[in-house]
Amino acid sequence: MSSPSPFLARLLGPTAILLATTEFKNTEIFPSRDPVTIYLNGSILLVSGLSIVLRHNRWHPSWPVLITLLGWCALGLGFSRMMWPTTWLSLDSAGGSVYATEASLFLAGAVLCWKGYGGGRG
């Protein structure tokens, strides 16, 4: 059986870049969110993260661990958004931590694109 890492890198790399870019561009819409939207987002993140973790739970020190980390982060974030959706309303969606998170997501996506599509395979 071949490794799912290159496929997941090609899937998650562009997704992470697009998520980071569009969330950064649309930060003004986030204060208008409601608990139902946060809960729904959490359920999507939970299922996505669990899917990644079930298929790709690799902890050896090389680039595929980034896929595993993204899966666990999505799983944890999804659970927390489902468990405490009203708490997420009180968080400052335009704060510096949001920009750092978006930058980190963009960088992770760029690394995964490079590994999945470029000469960085292996």
Side-chain angles (χ1 to χ4, degrees), residues 31-42:
S32 65
R33 61 199 168 158
D34 61 40
V36 174
T37 305
I38 294 170
Y39 185 89
L40 178 60
N41 175 264

Side-chain angles (χ1 to χ4, degrees), residues 3-114:
S3 170
S5 299
F7 168 77
L8 289 172
R10 289 188 298 270
L11 176 68
L12 295 174
T15 301
I17 289 172
L18 290 171
L19 279 172
T21 302
T22 57
E23 286 182 10
F24 178 77
K25 184 206 173 292
N26 295 301
T27 54
E28 73 279 354
I29 69 170
F30 293 111
S32 65
R33 61 199 168 158
D34 61 40
V36 174
T37 305
I38 294 170
Y39 185 89
L40 178 60
N41 175 264
S43 65
I44 293 168
L45 283 169
L46 181 98
V47 171
S48 300
L50 185 59
S51 298
I52 293 167
V53 168
L54 288 174
R55 182 68 175 106
H56 195 282
N57 198 18
R58 299 166 190 233
W59 290 103
H60 55 278
S62 62
W63 73 267
V65 77
L66 182 58
I67 295 169
T68 301
L69 289 171
L70 284 175
W72 279 106
C73 287
L75 184 62
L77 184 60
F79 172 75
S80 70
R81 287 183 180 204
M82 291 174 73
M83 194 71 178
W84 303 285
T86 55
T87 302
W88 284 92
L89 285 174
S90 63
L91 297 177
D92 180 14
S93 63
S97 65
V98 170
Y99 297 123
T101 301
E102 299 306 338
S104 299
L105 186 60
F106 188 92
L107 181 60
V111 169
L112 290 176
C113 280
W114 180 65

